[in-house]
Amino acid sequence: MASKASFSIIPCVKRKEEKEERKRSFLKNGSILLKDLIASCDGKSHPIRCYSASELIRATNNFDPSCVIDGFHRDMYRGILDDRTVIIKKHYDVDRAIRNIIISMQMSTHKNSLKLLGCCLEFDGPALVFENAGKGLLNNHGSLVVDNELLPWKTRLRIARQLASALTYLHTAFPRPIVHRNLSPTCILLDDDYVPKLFDFSDSITIPPDQLYVQENFAKWTVGYGDPYYQKHYISSEKTDVYSFGVLSLVFLMRRRATYWNEARNVLECLTENPKLNVSDGQIQIETIADSKILKEVGGDEQAQRQLQDFLALALLCIQEKTEARPDMIEVAKELVRIDKSILP
């Protein structure tokens, strides 16, 4: 009888220990979050919901691998909360999680930023709950295939224009510019209408008052998308994001994966040095580099070909090695609006 009584108490002790651990995590993470929220809200209200660990565990069937979103490794999950599909991002670093919460909360008002619904502070690392984006991750290999469908040029151009709008908002809408620092297809989701949603601001940084950049002790970037100036000097500025956006634009146009940090520079050298390419008067034969799907789509339409030329010229301007030669993100966004409207329906 004694052994049975002893055995039956173990689950109760374990549950009590789990509750105590969640309580400690909540207090630790909550205090950090509260401090950063007060510092960042600037008197404005950004209400988000606080979820319990048990809610997220039920929503994802205890974070079952079958709930992992394609392209992520036990990091982003789909689940059901309050009878609707949501995305749950797990964090293993508290500081990065808090930064992501703070900036995601501020960016949630922009239609091209993944809306933050709430967070859970009961795990060792906070978990974030976002709105759903049904089409999932933008393909990192440059193939831009969603549901076995290669995205047409008009959709790619619209995605680029809307992402530029989100980055412009990040750079200009707050008291101090925020630099994403790690822009790549792995932080872009598409909703059911192929609308892009920028997310994951865990590597983002705010430029301090009276400064134009941030000097860091090290640099972090996604392979193929990193600004060479940032990698060399460890200096972050809005132009860091402009460079990464330029590489992303080339991927959209060429359907070619950015495989290493100077991929964009290699493309630029190819475009300007290859005698087979017509580069006189700043013109480049778009047929030599554009995705064959795009070329088939635009056919012999001179206006459409001019649109591709202008898009390429803008991308190349964004990846200039000297940061001062690159445009500001707001200029990029305005030019993309002009390019998009250059062919009326």
Side-chain angles (χ1 to χ4, degrees):
M1 294 292 293
S3 61
K4 289 183 179 179
S6 174
F7 177 78
S8 64
I9 227 168
I10 292 176
C12 296
V13 173
K14 187 175 181 181
R15 284 195 294 270
K16 184 177 180 180
E17 290 177 348
E18 289 177 348
K19 288 181 179 179
E20 289 298 322
E21 180 61 31
R22 288 178 183 177
K23 184 178 180 180
R24 285 193 293 270
S25 295
F26 182 88
L27 292 174
K28 179 190 70 173
N29 295 330
S31 63
I32 298 173
L33 177 59
L34 180 60
K35 180 181 177 181
D36 284 351
L37 278 174
I38 293 172
S40 68
C41 281
D42 193 32
K44 299 178 181 179
S45 175
H46 300 276
I48 59 173
R49 177 176 168 182
C50 190
Y51 293 93
S52 68
S54 59
E55 285 181 292
L56 301 196
I57 289 171
R58 285 196 302 270
T60 59
N61 193 21
N62 198 20
F63 295 102
D64 189 270
S66 63
C67 296
V68 175
I69 298 176
D70 289 343
F72 296 94
H73 178 66
R74 293 187 175 276
D75 180 79
M76 297 276 284
Y77 297 79
R78 277 201 178 89
I80 304 295
L81 273 175
D82 301 326
D83 297 322
R84 68 167 171 172
T85 303
V86 298
I87 290 175
I88 299 170
K89 179 175 176 60
K90 294 181 71 176
H91 271 284
Y92 303 97
D93 181 281
V94 173
D95 290 337
R96 286 166 53 83
I98 298 303
R99 185 184 301 123
N100 199 5
I101 292 172
I102 298 300
I103 300 177
S104 295
M105 184 177 62
Q106 294 173 301
M107 285 291 292
S108 287
T109 56
H110 196 282
K111 65 180 181 179
N112 297 117
S113 180
L114 195 65
K115 185 177 181 180
L116 179 68
L117 304 177
C119 62
C120 175
L121 304 175
E122 296 180 2
F123 300 107
D124 286 341
L128 281 62
V129 180
F130 294 95
E131 66 177 345
N132 187 37
K135 295 298 183 183
L137 189 68
L138 191 64
N139 192 285
N140 193 37
H141 297 271
S143 59
L144 299 173
V145 175
V146 179
D147 291 342
N148 295 317
E149 177 187 358
L150 188 59
L151 298 183
W153 166 243
K154 289 183 179 180
T155 302
R156 300 186 208 185
L157 177 57
R158 178 178 54 78
I159 290 173
R161 174 174 55 79
Q162 292 176 329
L163 286 173
S165 173
L167 285 171
T168 298
Y169 191 80
L170 188 68
H171 290 179
T172 63
F174 308 108
R176 297 301 305 161
I178 300 173
V179 183
H180 191 283
R181 282 206 305 177
N182 202 16
L183 179 67
S184 73
T186 58
C187 60
I188 301 166
L189 291 167
L190 299 179
D191 71 8
D192 289 327
D193 296 318
Y194 298 94
V195 174
K197 302 288 184 176
L198 183 66
F199 73 100
D200 194 359
F201 302 98
S202 55
D203 290 315
S204 299
I205 193 167
T206 302
I207 298 179
D210 303 320
Q211 293 188 29
L212 299 177
Y213 59 84
V214 177
Q215 179 71 62
E216 304 172 65
N217 295 322
F218 63 92
K220 181 178 181 180
W221 65 91
T222 298
V223 176
Y225 291 85
D227 174 7
Y229 187 84
Y230 168 58
Q231 296 176 63
K232 183 177 180 180
H233 300 286
Y234 302 165
I235 289 178
S236 292
S237 72
E238 296 102 311
K239 298 300 180 72
T240 305
D241 287 345
V242 172
Y243 183 93
S244 300
F245 183 83
V247 177
L248 187 63
S249 298
L250 288 176
V251 171
F252 284 3
L253 180 64
M254 302 170 68
R255 194 158 61 96
R256 176 180 175 184
R257 183 178 182 177
T259 53
Y260 45 95
W261 74 266
N262 62 347
E263 170 74 10
R265 292 178 63 190
N266 288 348
V267 170
L268 178 58
E269 291 172 2
C270 173
L271 293 176
T272 56
E273 294 179 4
N274 191 332
K276 294 182 180 180
L277 302 179
N278 177 17
V279 295
S280 60
D281 299 324
Q283 298 298 307
I284 301 171
Q285 290 180 346
I286 202 70
E287 294 85 357
T288 60
I289 61 167
D291 176 18
S292 58
K293 161 86 174 179
I294 292 177
L295 296 177
K296 183 177 180 181
E297 183 180 337
V298 302
D301 188 326
E302 292 185 3
Q303 280 190 318
Q305 290 181 358
R306 179 70 258 175
Q307 188 180 60
L308 296 180
Q309 291 274 4
D310 291 346
F311 185 86
L312 173 60
L314 179 62
L316 295 179
L317 192 60
C318 290
I319 63 169
Q320 294 296 307
E321 184 169 0
K322 294 182 178 180
T323 57
E324 60 269 22
R326 303 171 198 163
D328 292 329
M329 205 65 229
I330 190 170
E331 296 172 328
V332 175
K334 289 179 179 179
E335 176 64 4
L336 284 171
V337 169
R338 186 198 67 78
I339 292 172
D340 193 22
K341 292 182 177 180
S342 63
I343 300 180
L344 298 176

